Amino acid sequence: MDPLDVLTNVEKVIPYYQAIFSADEQRVIGYEVFGRIQHNDEIQSLGPFFQDENVPDEYRIEVDDFILHMAIDEFLQLQDQELLLFINRDANILMLDHGESFLQILLEKQEAGLQFTQIVLEITEHNFKGDIEQLYHLLTYYRTYGIKVAIDNIGKASSNLDRIGMLSPDILKIDLQPLRLTSPSQSYYDVLYSISLLARKIGATLLYEDVEVNFQLQYAWKNGGRYYQGFFLSKPKRQFIHQDHCKERLKQEFQHYISAEKRKLERLNHFTEDFHHRIDQLISKISKQNSDYNQLLKELSVHLDDCSFRIYICDEDGFQQSVNIYKNNGWEIQPNYYMKNWSWRPYFLANIMKMRYDKKGFLSDVYSDIEKGDLIRTFSYPLQQNHYLFIDLSYEFLYEKEVL
């Protein structure tokens, strides 16, 4: 719709509220405010109006503030000081007066009973064009009042994790819309994993948004999501909903996810035990015939042709004590890997210590192989004299065994 239609009909602008649900309590913990307008007997979104940079900033501020006043007044009628109210603000516009007008509205509403700890300010980091340090100082100032900060639309567009880390948000909102694609790229999953690590490091809570189907909710549950938001749970509505609106449904869904994950972990444990027993027998048999490591790897490659594509041996400091034996069309020896050091790899030394104390082999998490780019797992096995055998298992084999 024409921006002029919005400006000349501000009295028809209304807030809509989309519920946000928690994993721990399976109930509504807050609402995000969206701008809507009654136009030609229809309710239309104001998203295009706020995103239109041709609309002067003062007009967007006027409409934004109108919505904010009405939303807070209606929110206060709930008389529930544990609920959160998520308020979107364009960081570029917010910085025009260094956030003073926004704060003044909140101070005014505080006299009516608003608790600042109930407010979550949502900004989109990748849209901000100003000085990131100035924005950081403003957000730090807001926090002294108890206002929480959420970074929105992570995963939807280019986001700078360094800048996000600097802003130290309380909540990271991860967009799951790309999961609806036929086959999201592996890099998308890698970015989400990096974001989850960042959240853990800075002490931020993960909120997964745009949850529209069941498998997205399952992904969010499995990947550290404490809060969920999306059409699958509740669409934006003019009125607030009951806090237990989805409680029984979420409990049932979570129970399905828990049961499925437990079955997967049981299969993984059985596979690990069986594979350890298999390697145990092979090592015992081959070691009696030959103590040379390179010969040992050749023999192992014959017996592990069905599952492995790379085998090698390292000492406990990460120095390779053998060549690589690598499966291309057939098995080939790669002598240039002898004495290379792999201690720089994440978790390498921790895994070595695990094997030293447990005295048995174990299976790694799924990761992307540097050379092949495929998703693989590595089975690590302790040998004698503080040496360790590493067997890289192919994606095809893991998929057939349903271990992934």
Side-chain angles (χ1 to χ4, degrees):
M1 62 185 300
D2 192 315
L4 190 60
D5 290 333
V6 177
L7 296 170
T8 55
N9 293 280
V10 175
E11 73 281 356
K12 295 183 179 180
V13 168
I14 51 176
Y16 264 51
Y17 307 101
Q18 186 172 32
I20 296 168
F21 298 83
S22 73
D24 41 3
E25 295 185 276
Q26 305 96 52
R27 64 189 316 201
V28 177
I29 56 91
Y31 296 89
E32 180 176 357
V33 180
F34 292 99
R36 298 286 189 267
I37 187 169
Q38 293 177 315
H39 183 68
N40 295 335
D41 297 324
E42 292 182 355
I43 301 296
Q44 296 187 23
S45 170
L46 287 176
F49 171 81
F50 289 120
Q51 294 162 12
D52 187 349
E53 295 186 359
N54 293 318
V55 177
D57 292 338
E58 59 268 27
Y59 295 148
R60 286 191 281 172
I61 292 171
E62 178 187 346
V63 176
D64 232 351
D65 288 351
F66 183 87
I67 294 170
L68 181 58
H69 276 285
M70 189 181 299
I72 293 179
D73 289 342
E74 294 178 349
F75 181 72
L76 289 175
Q77 292 176 22
L78 293 175
Q79 297 184 336
D80 187 337
Q81 295 186 357
E82 292 186 358
L83 285 174
L84 302 174
L85 190 66
F86 288 69
I87 301 167
N88 286 285
R89 273 294 187 270
D90 184 323
N92 297 294
I93 294 178
L94 196 67
M95 288 298 294
L96 291 176
D97 66 350
H98 300 284
E100 281 301 317
S101 59
F102 176 72
L103 183 61
Q104 285 305 313
I105 293 175
L106 298 185
L107 288 169
E108 175 188 325
K109 299 300 180 182
Q110 187 180 36
E111 297 177 4
L114 177 69
Q115 301 293 320
F116 276 33
T117 53
Q118 294 180 272
I119 298 299
V120 180
L121 171 65
E122 281 193 33
I123 61 171
T124 303
E125 168 273 330
H126 60 256
N127 287 343
F128 183 61
K129 301 172 184 176
D131 186 338
I132 194 68
E133 289 195 9
Q134 292 296 319
L135 179 60
Y136 164 75
H137 290 312
L138 173 61
L139 298 182
T140 301
Y141 176 57
Y142 280 166
R143 285 196 188 91
T144 63
Y145 285 91
I147 299 170
K148 299 176 180 62
V149 175
I151 303 294
D152 193 15
N153 284 337
I154 297 178
K156 199 169 191 174
S158 174
S159 296
N160 188 318
L161 297 187
D162 288 340
R163 284 177 24 134
I164 292 172
M166 177 184 177
L167 296 176
S168 298
D170 303 282
I171 297 171
L172 294 178
K173 295 191 70 175
I174 298 178
D175 177 44
L176 287 182
Q177 200 171 56
L179 276 186
R180 293 296 302 273
L181 299 175
T182 305
S183 54
S185 66
Q186 181 57 39
S187 61
Y188 171 73
Y189 291 105
D190 293 340
V191 168
L192 293 193
Y193 179 68
S194 299
I195 292 169
S196 68
L197 292 180
L198 174 65
R200 184 177 180 184
K201 184 175 181 180
I202 65 177
T205 297
L206 290 180
L207 189 164
Y208 285 91
E209 59 182 337
D210 287 324
V211 177
E212 298 180 351
V213 288
N214 188 295
F215 79 86
Q216 289 177 313
L217 179 63
Q218 183 172 14
Y219 180 91
W221 170 85
K222 187 177 178 180
N223 289 273
R226 183 181 183 186
Y227 299 146
Y228 315 117
Q229 178 183 11
F231 285 11
F232 183 69
L233 300 170
S234 180
K235 295 181 179 180
K237 302 178 186 298
R238 179 67 187 95
Q239 305 299 326
F240 301 104
I241 64 175
H242 193 278
Q243 273 193 280
D244 292 332
H245 174 76
C246 279
K247 191 174 184 68
E248 289 305 314
R249 181 181 169 196
L250 282 172
K251 285 177 69 175
Q252 291 177 8
E253 296 291 359
F254 289 167
Q255 194 57 58
H256 291 152
Y257 304 158
I258 291 166
S259 298
E261 192 65 17
K262 286 167 70 175
R263 287 194 300 271
K264 179 181 176 181
L265 292 172
E266 285 175 1
R267 289 199 305 270
L268 195 61
N269 286 333
H270 287 317
F271 172 83
T272 302
E273 290 178 7
D274 292 343
F275 201 79
H276 175 85
H277 184 64
R278 178 180 177 181
I279 302 303
D280 222 19
Q281 289 184 322
L282 285 174
I283 294 295
S284 297
K285 179 181 177 181
I286 298 171
S287 295
K288 291 178 182 178
Q289 301 170 0
N290 202 315
S291 60
D292 177 71
Y293 277 164
N294 293 340
Q295 188 60 37
L296 171 65
L297 296 184
K298 287 182 182 179
E299 292 283 344
L300 283 173
S301 69
V302 174
H303 294 282
L304 299 176
D305 188 69
D306 64 312
C307 60
S308 178
F309 68 92
R310 185 193 291 121
I311 313 172
Y312 56 100
I313 296 170
C314 291
D315 65 17
E316 65 176 11
D317 294 328
F319 289 96
Q320 194 158 324
Q321 300 298 304
S322 71
V323 299
N324 266 11
I325 185 160
Y326 183 83
K327 187 178 182 181
N328 204 345
N329 292 321
W331 288 94
E332 60 185 47
I333 292 175
Q334 298 176 320
N336 55 309
Y337 283 88
Y338 177 68
M339 289 307 293
K340 284 198 174 184
N341 185 270
W342 306 111
S343 61
W344 54 269
R345 285 180 168 174
Y347 311 116
F348 183 92
L349 294 177
N351 291 341
I352 291 293
M353 298 305 292
K354 177 179 174 65
M355 285 189 286
R356 178 196 280 186
Y357 288 109
D358 292 350
K359 307 295 183 186
K360 63 179 181 180
F362 74 98
L363 197 63
S364 75
D365 291 335
V366 177
Y367 66 96
S368 185
D369 182 63
I370 293 176
E371 294 183 2
K372 294 186 65 174
D374 293 343
L375 293 176
I376 69 168
R377 289 183 188 261
T378 297
F379 187 82
S380 308
Y381 178 90
L383 300 170
Q384 296 179 349
Q385 300 174 334
N386 293 328
H387 288 178
Y388 300 87
L389 175 68
F390 296 90
I391 302 168
D392 289 340
L393 304 177
S394 68
Y395 176 87
E396 293 78 12
F397 171 75
L398 294 168
Y399 186 81
E400 290 174 4
K401 293 290 183 181
E402 297 184 341
V403 174
L404 276 179

